[in-house]
Amino acid sequence: DFELVLARRGIRIPVGADQTAAQALLDHGIDIPLSCEQGVCGSCLLPVLEGIPEHRDVFLSAAERDCNRCFTPCCSRARTPSLLIDL
Ligand code: FES
């Protein structure tokens, strides 16, 4: 489990073990673009301001993964207790 912190909205959204980050956002009425939901297309890519994502997609390059500036909420999770997202 981890938490998404939405920097621009000032809200925290918990992501349970049984849901994706994208589902948690949608459940809270935060509309994000989604397409493949398998980490392939990059449609859902979100900017990360703080925290370390656990990248589970195949869209980002190795360099993009390593800089931890974005993540794909349809499948990726977090290595830190929370991710601060520019949303
Ligand atoms: Fe395609 Fe997330 S919806 S990578």
Side-chain angles (χ1 to χ4, degrees):
D1 300 16
F2 61 101
E3 200 172 45
L4 294 173
V5 184
L6 307 194
R8 284 189 256 152
R9 291 172 170 82
I11 57 173
R12 314 177 78 89
I13 295 181
V15 182
D18 58 343
Q19 62 178 176
T20 65
Q23 280 165 351
L25 289 168
L26 294 172
D27 287 352
H28 283 78
I30 313 291
D31 220 5
I32 55 162
L34 273 182
S35 181
C36 72
E37 298 190 54
Q38 292 177 29
V40 176
C41 70
S43 300
C44 64
L45 205 63
L46 290 177
V48 174
L49 302 171
E50 264 177 48
I52 301 176
E54 181 184 311
H55 297 291
R56 294 190 180 175
D57 65 280
V58 294
F59 175 78
L60 293 174
S61 68
E64 286 170 326
R65 276 159 205 277
D66 289 349
C67 76
N68 293 319
R69 289 288 174 207
C70 52
F71 93 127
T72 53
C74 69
C75 60
S76 296
R77 306 192 68 83
R79 289 183 194 279
T80 43
S82 65
L83 292 179
L84 182 65
I85 305 292
D86 191 14
L87 259 188

Coordinates of all heavy atoms in Angstrom, one line a residue:
D1 N 0.8 -1.2 0.0 CA 0.0 0.0 0.0 C 0.9 1.2 0.0 O 1.9 1.3 0.6 CB -0.9 0.0 1.2 CG -1.8 -1.2 1.3 OD1 -1.6 -2.1 0.6 OD2 -2.7 -1.1 2.1
F2 N 0.4 2.3 -0.6 CA 1.1 3.6 -0.6 C 0.1 4.7 -0.8 O -1.1 4.4 -0.9 CB 2.2 3.6 -1.7 CG 1.7 3.5 -3.1 CD1 1.6 4.6 -3.9 CD2 1.4 2.2 -3.6 CE1 1.2 4.5 -5.2 CE2 1.0 2.1 -4.9 CZ 0.9 3.2 -5.7
E3 N 0.6 5.9 -0.8 CA -0.3 7.0 -0.9 C 0.1 7.9 -2.0 O 1.3 8.1 -2.2 CB -0.2 7.8 0.5 CG -1.4 8.6 0.8 CD -1.3 9.2 2.2 OE1 -0.2 9.6 2.6 OE2 -2.3 9.2 2.9
L4 N -0.9 8.4 -2.7 CA -0.6 9.5 -3.7 C -0.9 10.8 -3.1 O -2.0 11.0 -2.5 CB -1.5 9.3 -5.0 CG -1.2 8.0 -5.8 CD1 -2.3 7.9 -6.9 CD2 0.2 8.1 -6.4
V5 N 0.0 11.7 -3.2 CA -0.3 13.1 -2.7 C -0.3 14.0 -3.9 O 0.6 14.1 -4.7 CB 0.8 13.6 -1.7 CG1 0.5 14.9 -1.2 CG2 1.0 12.6 -0.6
L6 N -1.5 14.6 -4.1 CA -1.7 15.5 -5.3 C -1.3 16.9 -4.9 O -2.0 17.6 -4.2 CB -3.1 15.4 -5.7 CG -3.7 14.0 -6.0 CD1 -5.0 14.0 -6.7 CD2 -2.7 13.1 -6.7
A7 N -0.2 17.3 -5.5 CA 0.5 18.6 -5.1 C -0.5 19.8 -5.3 O -0.6 20.7 -4.5 CB 1.8 18.8 -5.8
R8 N -1.1 19.8 -6.5 CA -1.9 21.0 -6.8 C -3.2 21.0 -6.1 O -3.8 22.1 -5.9 CB -2.1 21.1 -8.4 CG -0.8 21.6 -9.1 CD -1.1 21.8 -10.5 NE -0.6 20.8 -11.4 CZ -1.1 20.5 -12.5 NH1 -2.2 21.1 -13.0 NH2 -0.6 19.5 -13.3
R9 N -3.8 19.9 -5.8 CA -5.1 19.8 -5.2 C -4.9 19.8 -3.6 O -5.9 20.0 -2.9 CB -5.9 18.6 -5.6 CG -6.3 18.7 -7.1 CD -6.9 17.4 -7.5 NE -7.6 17.5 -8.8 CZ -7.0 17.4 -10.0 NH1 -5.7 17.3 -10.0 NH2 -7.6 17.4 -11.1
G10 N -3.7 19.4 -3.1 CA -3.5 19.3 -1.7 C -4.3 18.2 -1.1 O -4.8 18.3 0.0
I11 N -4.5 17.1 -1.8 CA -5.2 15.9 -1.2 C -4.3 14.7 -1.3 O -3.4 14.6 -2.1 CB -6.6 15.7 -1.9 CG1 -6.4 15.4 -3.4 CG2 -7.5 16.8 -1.6 CD1 -7.8 15.0 -4.0
R12 N -4.6 13.7 -0.4 CA -3.9 12.5 -0.3 C -4.9 11.4 -0.6 O -6.0 11.3 -0.1 CB -3.4 12.3 1.1 CG -2.7 13.5 1.7 CD -2.2 13.3 3.2 NE -1.0 12.5 3.2 CZ 0.2 13.0 3.2 NH1 0.4 14.3 3.1 NH2 1.3 12.2 3.2
I13 N -4.4 10.5 -1.5 CA -5.3 9.4 -1.9 C -4.6 8.0 -1.6 O -3.5 7.8 -2.2 CB -5.6 9.5 -3.4 CG1 -6.4 10.7 -3.6 CG2 -6.3 8.2 -3.9 CD1 -6.8 11.0 -5.1
P14 N -5.1 7.2 -0.7 CA -4.5 5.9 -0.4 C -4.7 4.9 -1.6 O -5.8 4.9 -2.2 CB -5.2 5.4 0.8 CG -6.5 6.2 0.9 CD -6.3 7.4 0.1
V15 N -3.7 4.2 -1.9 CA -3.8 3.1 -2.9 C -3.6 1.8 -2.3 O -2.6 1.5 -1.7 CB -2.7 3.3 -4.0 CG1 -2.8 2.2 -5.1 CG2 -2.7 4.7 -4.6
G16 N -4.7 1.0 -2.2 CA -4.7 -0.3 -1.6 C -4.0 -1.3 -2.4 O -3.8 -1.1 -3.6
A17 N -3.6 -2.4 -1.7 CA -2.9 -3.5 -2.4 C -3.7 -4.1 -3.5 O -3.1 -4.7 -4.5 CB -2.5 -4.5 -1.4
D18 N -5.0 -4.0 -3.5 CA -5.9 -4.7 -4.4 C -6.3 -3.7 -5.5 O -7.3 -4.0 -6.3 CB -7.1 -5.2 -3.7 CG -7.9 -4.1 -3.0 OD1 -7.3 -3.0 -2.8 OD2 -9.0 -4.3 -2.6
Q19 N -5.7 -2.5 -5.7 CA -6.1 -1.6 -6.7 C -4.9 -1.0 -7.3 O -3.8 -1.0 -6.7 CB -7.1 -0.6 -6.2 CG -6.5 0.3 -5.1 CD -7.4 1.4 -4.6 OE1 -7.1 2.1 -3.7 NE2 -8.6 1.6 -5.2
T20 N -5.1 -0.4 -8.5 CA -4.0 0.4 -9.1 C -4.1 1.8 -8.7 O -5.1 2.3 -8.2 CB -4.1 0.3 -10.7 OG1 -5.2 1.0 -11.1 CG2 -4.1 -1.1 -11.2
A21 N -3.0 2.5 -8.9 CA -2.9 4.0 -8.6 C -4.0 4.7 -9.5 O -4.7 5.6 -9.0 CB -1.6 4.5 -8.8
A22 N -4.1 4.2 -10.7 CA -5.1 4.8 -11.6 C -6.5 4.7 -11.1 O -7.3 5.6 -11.1 CB -4.9 4.2 -13.0
Q23 N -6.8 3.4 -10.6 CA -8.1 3.2 -10.1 C -8.4 4.1 -8.9 O -9.5 4.6 -8.7 CB -8.3 1.7 -9.6 CG -8.6 0.8 -10.8 CD -8.3 -0.7 -10.4 OE1 -7.8 -1.0 -9.3 NE2 -8.7 -1.6 -11.3
A24 N -7.4 4.2 -8.0 CA -7.6 5.0 -6.8 C -7.9 6.5 -7.2 O -8.8 7.1 -6.6 CB -6.3 5.0 -5.9
L25 N -7.2 7.0 -8.2 CA -7.4 8.4 -8.7 C -8.8 8.5 -9.2 O -9.6 9.4 -8.9 CB -6.4 8.8 -9.7 CG -5.0 9.0 -9.3 CD1 -4.0 9.0 -10.4 CD2 -4.9 10.2 -8.4
L26 N -9.2 7.6 -10.1 CA -10.6 7.6 -10.7 C -11.7 7.5 -9.6 O -12.7 8.2 -9.7 CB -10.7 6.5 -11.7 CG -9.8 6.7 -13.0 CD1 -9.9 5.4 -13.9 CD2 -10.2 7.9 -13.8
D27 N -11.4 6.6 -8.6 CA -12.4 6.5 -7.5 C -12.6 7.8 -6.8 O -13.7 8.0 -6.2 CB -12.0 5.4 -6.5 CG -12.1 4.0 -7.1 OD1 -12.7 3.9 -8.2 OD2 -11.6 3.1 -6.5
H28 N -11.6 8.6 -6.8 CA -11.7 9.9 -6.1 C -12.1 11.0 -7.1 O -11.9 12.2 -6.7 CB -10.4 10.3 -5.4 CG -10.2 9.5 -4.1 ND1 -9.8 8.1 -4.1 CD2 -10.4 9.8 -2.8 CE1 -9.8 7.7 -2.8 NE2 -10.1 8.7 -2.0
G29 N -12.5 10.7 -8.2 CA -13.0 11.7 -9.2 C -11.9 12.4 -9.9 O -12.2 13.5 -10.5
I30 N -10.7 11.9 -9.9 CA -9.6 12.5 -10.6 C -9.5 11.9 -11.9 O -9.1 10.7 -12.0 CB -8.3 12.4 -9.9 CG1 -8.4 12.8 -8.4 CG2 -7.2 13.2 -10.6 CD1 -8.6 14.2 -8.1
D31 N -9.9 12.6 -13.0 CA -9.9 12.0 -14.3 C -8.5 12.0 -14.9 O -7.9 13.1 -15.1 CB -10.9 12.9 -15.2 CG -11.7 12.0 -16.0 OD1 -11.6 10.8 -15.9 OD2 -12.5 12.6 -16.9
I32 N -8.0 10.9 -15.3 CA -6.7 10.8 -15.9 C -6.9 10.0 -17.2 O -7.7 9.1 -17.3 CB -5.6 10.2 -15.0 CG1 -6.1 8.8 -14.5 CG2 -5.2 11.0 -13.9 CD1 -4.9 7.9 -14.1
P33 N -6.0 10.3 -18.2 CA -6.1 9.5 -19.5 C -5.7 8.1 -19.2 O -4.7 7.9 -18.6 CB -5.2 10.3 -20.4 CG -4.5 11.3 -19.7 CD -5.0 11.3 -18.3
L34 N -6.4 7.1 -19.8 CA -6.0 5.7 -19.7 C -6.3 5.1 -21.0 O -7.3 5.4 -21.7 CB -6.9 5.0 -18.6 CG -6.5 5.0 -17.2 CD1 -7.6 4.2 -16.4 CD2 -5.2 4.5 -17.0
S35 N -5.4 4.2 -21.4 CA -5.7 3.4 -22.6 C -5.4 2.0 -22.4 O -6.3 1.2 -22.2 CB -4.9 4.0 -23.7 OG -5.2 3.4 -24.9
C36 N -4.2 1.6 -22.5 CA -3.9 0.1 -22.5 C -4.0 -0.5 -21.1 O -4.4 -1.7 -21.0 CB -2.4 -0.1 -23.0 SG -1.1 0.4 -21.8
E37 N -3.8 0.3 -20.1 CA -3.8 -0.2 -18.7 C -2.8 -1.3 -18.4 O -3.0 -2.1 -17.5 CB -5.2 -0.5 -18.2 CG -6.1 0.7 -18.3 CD -7.5 0.5 -17.7 OE1 -7.5 0.1 -16.5 OE2 -8.5 0.7 -18.3
Q38 N -1.8 -1.4 -19.2 CA -0.8 -2.5 -19.1 C 0.6 -2.0 -19.1 O 1.5 -2.8 -19.2 CB -1.0 -3.6 -20.2 CG -2.3 -4.3 -20.0 CD -2.5 -5.3 -21.2 OE1 -1.5 -5.8 -21.7 NE2 -3.7 -5.6 -21.5
G39 N 0.8 -0.7 -19.0 CA 2.1 -0.1 -19.0 C 2.8 -0.1 -20.4 O 4.0 0.0 -20.4
V40 N 2.0 -0.1 -21.4 CA 2.6 -0.2 -22.8 C 2.6 1.2 -23.5 O 3.5 1.6 -24.2 CB 1.9 -1.3 -23.6 CG1 2.4 -1.3 -25.0 CG2 2.1 -2.6 -23.0
C41 N 1.4 1.9 -23.4 CA 1.2 3.0 -24.3 C 1.7 4.3 -23.8 O 2.0 5.3 -24.5 CB -0.3 3.1 -24.6 SG -1.3 3.7 -23.2
G42 N 1.8 4.5 -22.5 CA 2.3 5.8 -21.9 C 1.2 6.8 -21.8 O 1.4 8.0 -21.3
S43 N -0.1 6.5 -22.1 CA -1.2 7.5 -22.1 C -1.4 8.1 -20.7 O -1.7 9.2 -20.5 CB -2.5 6.9 -22.4 OG -2.5 6.4 -23.7
C44 N -1.1 7.2 -19.7 CA -1.5 7.6 -18.3 C -0.3 8.3 -17.6 O -0.5 8.7 -16.4 CB -1.9 6.4 -17.5 SG -0.5 5.2 -17.3
L45 N 0.8 8.5 -18.2 CA 2.0 9.0 -17.6 C 1.8 10.3 -16.7 O 1.1 11.2 -17.2 CB 3.0 9.3 -18.7 CG 4.5 9.3 -18.3 CD1 4.9 7.9 -17.8 CD2 5.3 9.8 -19.5
L46 N 2.2 10.2 -15.5 CA 2.1 11.4 -14.6 C 3.4 11.9 -14.1 O 4.3 11.0 -13.8 CB 1.2 11.0 -13.4 CG -0.3 10.7 -13.6 CD1 -0.9 10.3 -12.3 CD2 -1.0 11.9 -14.2
P47 N 3.6 13.2 -13.9 CA 4.8 13.7 -13.4 C 4.9 13.5 -11.9 O 4.0 13.7 -11.1 CB 4.7 15.2 -13.6 CG 3.4 15.5 -14.3 CD 2.6 14.2 -14.2
V48 N 6.1 13.0 -11.4 CA 6.4 12.7 -10.0 C 7.3 13.8 -9.5 O 8.3 14.1 -10.1 CB 7.0 11.4 -9.8 CG1 7.5 11.1 -8.4 CG2 6.1 10.3 -10.3
L49 N 6.9 14.5 -8.4 CA 7.7 15.5 -7.8 C 8.6 15.0 -6.7 O 9.7 15.5 -6.5 CB 6.8 16.6 -7.3 CG 5.9 17.3 -8.3 CD1 4.9 18.2 -7.6 CD2 6.7 18.0 -9.4
E50 N 8.1 14.0 -5.9 CA 8.9 13.5 -4.8 C 8.5 12.0 -4.6 O 7.3 11.7 -4.9 CB 8.5 14.2 -3.5 CG 9.5 15.3 -3.1 CD 9.0 16.0 -1.8 OE1 8.6 15.3 -0.9 OE2 8.9 17.2 -1.8
G51 N 9.4 11.2 -4.1 CA 9.1 9.8 -3.9 C 9.7 9.0 -5.0 O 10.1 9.5 -6.1
I52 N 9.8 7.7 -4.8 CA 10.4 6.8 -5.8 C 9.4 5.8 -6.3 O 8.9 4.9 -5.5 CB 11.6 6.0 -5.2 CG1 12.6 7.1 -4.7 CG2 12.2 5.1 -6.2 CD1 13.8 6.5 -4.0
P53 N 9.0 5.9 -7.6 CA 8.1 4.9 -8.1 C 8.7 3.5 -8.3 O 9.9 3.4 -8.4 CB 7.8 5.4 -9.5 CG 8.3 6.8 -9.6 CD 9.4 6.9 -8.6
E54 N 7.9 2.5 -8.2 CA 8.3 1.1 -8.6 C 7.7 0.9 -10.0 O 6.6 0.6 -10.2 CB 7.7 0.1 -7.6 CG 8.1 -1.3 -7.9 CD 7.4 -2.3 -6.9 OE1 7.4 -2.0 -5.7 OE2 6.8 -3.2 -7.4
H55 N 8.6 1.1 -11.0 CA 8.1 1.1 -12.3 C 7.8 -0.3 -12.8 O 8.7 -1.2 -12.7 CB 9.2 1.7 -13.3 CG 9.5 3.1 -13.0 ND1 8.7 4.1 -13.2 CD2 10.6 3.7 -12.4 CE1 9.2 5.3 -12.9 NE2 10.4 5.0 -12.4
R56 N 6.6 -0.5 -13.2 CA 6.2 -1.9 -13.7 C 5.8 -1.8 -15.2 O 5.2 -2.8 -15.7 CB 5.1 -2.4 -12.9 CG 5.5 -2.7 -11.5 CD 4.4 -3.5 -10.7 NE 4.8 -3.7 -9.4 CZ 4.0 -4.3 -8.4 NH1 2.8 -4.6 -8.8 NH2 4.5 -4.5 -7.2
D57 N 6.0 -0.7 -15.8 CA 5.6 -0.5 -17.2 C 6.8 -1.0 -18.2 O 7.9 -1.3 -17.7 CB 5.3 1.0 -17.5 CG 6.6 1.8 -17.4 OD1 6.9 2.1 -16.2 OD2 7.2 2.1 -18.4
V58 N 6.5 -1.0 -19.5 CA 7.5 -1.3 -20.4 C 7.7 -0.1 -21.4 O 8.2 -0.2 -22.4 CB 7.3 -2.6 -21.3 CG1 7.3 -3.8 -20.4 CG2 5.9 -2.5 -22.0
F59 N 7.1 1.0 -21.0 CA 7.0 2.2 -21.8 C 8.3 3.1 -21.6 O 8.9 3.6 -22.6 CB 5.7 3.0 -21.5 CG 5.7 4.3 -22.3 CD1 5.3 4.4 -23.6 CD2 5.9 5.5 -21.6 CE1 5.3 5.6 -24.3 CE2 5.9 6.7 -22.3 CZ 5.6 6.8 -23.6
L60 N 8.6 3.4 -20.4 CA 9.7 4.3 -20.1 C 11.1 3.7 -20.4 O 11.3 2.4 -20.3 CB 9.7 4.6 -18.6 CG 8.5 5.4 -18.1 CD1 8.6 5.6 -16.5 CD2 8.5 6.8 -18.7
S61 N 12.0 4.5 -20.8 CA 13.4 4.1 -21.1 C 14.1 3.9 -19.7 O 13.6 4.4 -18.7 CB 14.1 5.1 -21.9 OG 14.3 6.3 -21.1
A62 N 15.2 3.2 -19.8 CA 16.0 3.0 -18.5 C 16.3 4.3 -17.9 O 16.2 4.5 -16.7 CB 17.2 2.2 -18.8
A63 N 16.7 5.3 -18.7 CA 17.1 6.6 -18.2 C 15.9 7.3 -17.5 O 16.0 7.9 -16.5 CB 17.6 7.5 -19.3
E64 N 14.7 7.2 -18.2 CA 13.5 7.8 -17.6 C 13.1 7.1 -16.3 O 12.6 7.8 -15.3 CB 12.3 7.7 -18.6 CG 12.5 8.7 -19.8 CD 11.5 8.4 -20.9 OE1 11.1 7.2 -21.1 OE2 11.1 9.4 -21.5
R65 N 13.3 5.8 -16.2 CA 13.0 5.1 -14.9 C 13.9 5.6 -13.8 O 13.4 5.9 -12.7 CB 13.3 3.6 -15.1 CG 12.3 2.8 -15.6 CD 12.9 1.5 -16.1 NE 12.1 1.1 -17.2 CZ 11.0 0.3 -17.0 NH1 10.8 -0.1 -15.8 NH2 10.3 0.0 -17.9
D66 N 15.2 5.7 -14.2 CA 16.2 6.1 -13.2 C 16.0 7.5 -12.6 O 16.3 7.7 -11.5 CB 17.6 5.9 -13.7 CG 17.9 4.4 -13.9 OD1 17.1 3.6 -13.4 OD2 18.9 4.1 -14.5
C67 N 15.5 8.4 -13.4 CA 15.3 9.8 -12.9 C 14.1 9.9 -12.0 O 14.0 10.9 -11.3 CB 15.4 10.8 -14.0 SG 13.9 10.9 -15.0
N68 N 13.2 9.0 -12.1 CA 12.0 9.0 -11.2 C 11.2 10.2 -11.3 O 10.6 10.7 -10.2 CB 12.4 8.7 -9.7 CG 13.0 7.3 -9.6 OD1 12.4 6.4 -10.1 ND2 14.0 7.2 -8.8
R69 N 11.1 10.8 -12.4 CA 10.3 12.1 -12.6 C 8.9 11.8 -13.1 O 8.1 12.7 -13.3 CB 11.1 13.0 -13.6 CG 12.3 13.6 -13.0 CD 12.0 14.6 -11.9 NE 13.2 15.1 -11.2 CZ 13.2 15.5 -10.0 NH1 12.1 15.6 -9.3 NH2 14.3 15.9 -9.5
C70 N 8.6 10.6 -13.4 CA 7.3 10.3 -13.9 C 7.0 8.8 -13.7 O 7.9 8.0 -13.4 CB 7.1 10.6 -15.4 SG 8.4 9.9 -16.4
F71 N 5.7 8.4 -13.7 CA 5.4 7.0 -13.6 C 4.0 6.7 -14.2 O 3.3 7.7 -14.5 CB 5.4 6.6 -12.1 CG 4.1 6.6 -11.3 CD1 3.6 5.5 -10.6 CD2 3.4 7.8 -11.3 CE1 2.5 5.6 -9.9 CE2 2.2 7.9 -10.5 CZ 1.8 6.8 -9.9
T72 N 3.8 5.5 -14.5 CA 2.5 5.1 -15.1 C 1.6 4.5 -14.1 O 1.8 3.4 -13.6 CB 2.8 4.0 -16.2 OG1 3.5 2.9 -15.7 CG2 3.6 4.6 -17.4
P73 N 0.6 5.3 -13.7 CA -0.3 4.8 -12.6 C -1.2 3.6 -12.9 O -1.8 3.0 -12.0 CB -1.2 6.1 -12.3 CG -1.2 6.8 -13.6 CD 0.2 6.6 -14.2
C74 N -1.3 3.2 -14.2 CA -2.1 2.1 -14.5 C -1.5 0.8 -14.0 O -2.2 -0.2 -13.8 CB -2.3 2.0 -16.0 SG -0.9 1.5 -17.0
C75 N -0.2 0.7 -13.8 CA 0.4 -0.5 -13.4 C 1.6 -0.3 -12.4 O 1.9 -1.3 -11.6 CB 0.9 -1.3 -14.6 SG 2.2 -0.4 -15.5
S76 N 2.2 0.8 -12.3 CA 3.3 1.0 -11.5 C 2.9 1.4 -10.0 O 1.8 1.8 -9.8 CB 4.2 2.1 -12.0 OG 4.8 1.7 -13.3
R77 N 3.8 1.1 -9.1 CA 3.5 1.4 -7.7 C 4.6 2.3 -7.1 O 5.2 3.0 -7.8 CB 3.3 0.0 -7.0 CG 2.2 -0.8 -7.7 CD 1.8 -2.0 -6.9 NE 1.0 -1.6 -5.7 CZ -0.3 -1.4 -5.8 NH1 -1.0 -1.4 -6.9 NH2 -1.0 -1.0 -4.7
A78 N 4.8 2.2 -5.8 CA 5.8 3.1 -5.2 C 6.7 2.3 -4.3 O 6.3 1.3 -3.6 CB 5.0 4.1 -4.3
R79 N 8.0 2.7 -4.2 CA 8.9 2.1 -3.3 C 9.0 2.9 -2.0 O 9.5 2.4 -1.0 CB 10.3 2.2 -3.9 CG 10.5 1.2 -5.1 CD 12.0 1.3 -5.5 NE 12.1 0.6 -6.8 CZ 12.2 -0.7 -7.0 NH1 12.3 -1.4 -5.9 NH2 12.3 -1.2 -8.2
T80 N 8.5 4.1 -2.1 CA 8.4 5.0 -0.9 C 6.9 5.0 -0.4 O 6.0 4.7 -1.1 CB 8.9 6.4 -1.2 OG1 8.3 6.8 -2.5 CG2 10.4 6.5 -1.4
P81 N 6.7 5.4 0.9 CA 5.3 5.3 1.4 C 4.4 6.2 0.6 O 3.2 6.0 0.6 CB 5.5 5.8 2.9 CG 6.9 5.6 3.2 CD 7.7 5.7 1.9
S82 N 4.9 7.3 0.0 CA 4.0 8.1 -0.8 C 4.8 8.6 -2.0 O 6.0 8.6 -2.1 CB 3.5 9.3 0.0 OG 4.6 10.1 0.4
L83 N 4.0 9.1 -3.0 CA 4.5 9.7 -4.2 C 3.8 11.1 -4.3 O 2.6 11.1 -4.2 CB 4.2 8.9 -5.5 CG 4.9 7.6 -5.7 CD1 4.3 7.0 -7.0 CD2 6.4 7.7 -5.7
L84 N 4.6 12.1 -4.4 CA 4.0 13.5 -4.6 C 3.9 13.6 -6.1 O 4.9 13.6 -6.9 CB 4.9 14.5 -4.0 CG 4.4 16.0 -4.1 CD1 3.1 16.2 -3.3 CD2 5.5 16.9 -3.7
I85 N 2.6 13.9 -6.6 CA 2.3 13.9 -8.0 C 1.9 15.3 -8.4 O 1.2 16.0 -7.6 CB 1.1 13.0 -8.3 CG1 1.4 11.6 -7.8 CG2 0.8 13.0 -9.8 CD1 2.5 10.9 -8.6
D86 N 2.3 15.8 -9.6 CA 2.0 17.1 -10.0 C 0.6 17.1 -10.6 O 0.4 17.2 -11.8 CB 3.0 17.6 -11.0 CG 2.9 19.1 -11.3 OD1 2.1 19.8 -10.6 OD2 3.4 19.6 -12.3
L87 N -0.4 17.0 -9.8 CA -1.8 16.9 -10.2 C -2.7 17.8 -9.3 O -2.4 17.8 -8.1 CB -2.3 15.5 -10.1 CG -2.4 14.6 -11.4 CD1 -3.2 13.4 -11.0 CD2 -3.1 15.3 -12.6
Ligands
FES1 FE1 -1.1 2.6 -21.2 FE2 -0.9 3.3 -18.6 S1 -2.6 3.3 -19.8 S2 0.7 2.8 -20.0

